[in-house]
Amino acid sequence: DEEGVIPNDKVFILWKNIVSSDRYPSLSKDMKVQFNIQIVEKNGERDLQAMAVANVGGSPIMVQDEVDSKKSFVGGQNLRYTGTLKFFIPKQGWGYGYIKIDPGYQYDRDDVPQEIRVETTEMNCGGGNPQYFEDLPVEFGIWVTTRGAFKAYNVTARGGMALPSSESAAAQTTAQAEGALTVAAAPPEVNA
């Protein structure tokens, strides 16, 4: 609330610096938060960035339920469908993909298409950023926008598990590389 502490009274907040268990961490307009400030270098210039962004008092920020409560769902918010994520392209800002819904479902409306769009905010990667996917079996809900478009909601792996994130893929690659180095550096076995 104190003005003049940060230049122009604004600081950049990267979504992954928000302390949250939401599937895609975000903030609401005019929300009061607390955070640490870190100096980061971007394109050769130094800038300030908010880190460990939480509610005032330090509790995690959770706005997903409020956002979801404003949506209109096909069959209800907790109804899950299965299908195949044909592809997901993780573009900076707004990634997207399409899901082919498995046949045989009875809906509470007649106009549900066989393929629906999914966007980054509905890819449940356990709070991480989605990676590129192709031909992946998934589970999801369906919601309808105010313009009547059908979209996937809370897309997970079959069984409800979070999808792999780009961060987990990078960590796995690093661990595999370190493991390979460790194996290579292991002492030879001595046979007695």
Side-chain angles (χ1 to χ4, degrees):
D1 285 336
E2 193 174 332
E3 292 184 17
V5 175
I6 300 171
N8 302 320
D9 293 321
K10 292 183 181 179
V11 64
F12 178 75
I13 300 173
L14 185 62
W15 67 269
K16 63 183 172 183
N17 293 336
I18 299 172
V19 178
S20 177
S21 61
D22 285 348
R23 66 182 171 271
Y24 194 82
S26 61
L27 302 174
S28 297
K29 185 177 180 179
D30 297 325
M31 177 182 263
K32 295 207 181 282
V33 296
Q34 73 178 36
F35 53 88
N36 299 324
I37 297 175
Q38 180 178 13
I39 298 173
V40 295
E41 194 161 323
K42 290 190 275 184
N43 301 325
E45 294 187 26
R46 294 170 63 130
D47 200 3
L48 298 178
Q49 184 171 313
M51 306 296 290
V53 181
N55 282 313
V56 175
S59 65
I61 293 172
M62 291 185 248
V63 298
Q64 195 72 61
D65 289 342
E66 180 183 334
V67 170
D68 291 346
S69 71
K70 297 174 185 170
K71 293 179 178 174
S72 174
F73 295 93
V74 172
Q77 183 175 356
N78 296 318
L79 190 58
R80 305 291 284 166
Y81 302 92
T82 59
T84 300
L85 180 61
K86 293 173 64 174
F87 69 88
F88 183 82
I89 301 171
K91 286 186 172 181
Q92 183 115 14
W94 287 103
Y96 71 96
Y98 284 88
I99 296 173
K100 181 170 178 47
I101 303 171
D102 287 341
Y105 285 105
Q106 296 293 317
Y107 305 106
D108 59 355
R109 34 188 316 159
D110 295 330
D111 52 350
V112 179
Q114 292 180 350
E115 290 186 8
I116 57 175
R117 182 179 170 105
V118 61
E119 295 171 349
T120 300
T121 55
E122 295 298 342
M123 294 292 285
N124 187 337
C125 296
N129 215 14
Q131 60 185 351
Y132 177 82
F133 293 107
E134 191 173 356
D135 296 325
L136 182 71
V138 292
E139 185 176 296
F140 53 94
I142 302 173
W143 70 286
V144 185
T145 69
T146 54
R147 294 183 176 178
F150 292 86
K151 295 192 177 183
Y153 159 76
N154 191 18
V155 178
T156 63
R158 297 253 173 116
M161 298 296 295
L163 296 166
S165 68
S166 58
E167 294 82 5
S168 66
Q172 183 178 10
T173 301
T174 301
Q176 288 172 343
E178 289 172 354
L181 291 175
T182 302
V183 170
E189 288 185 31
V190 177
N191 294 329

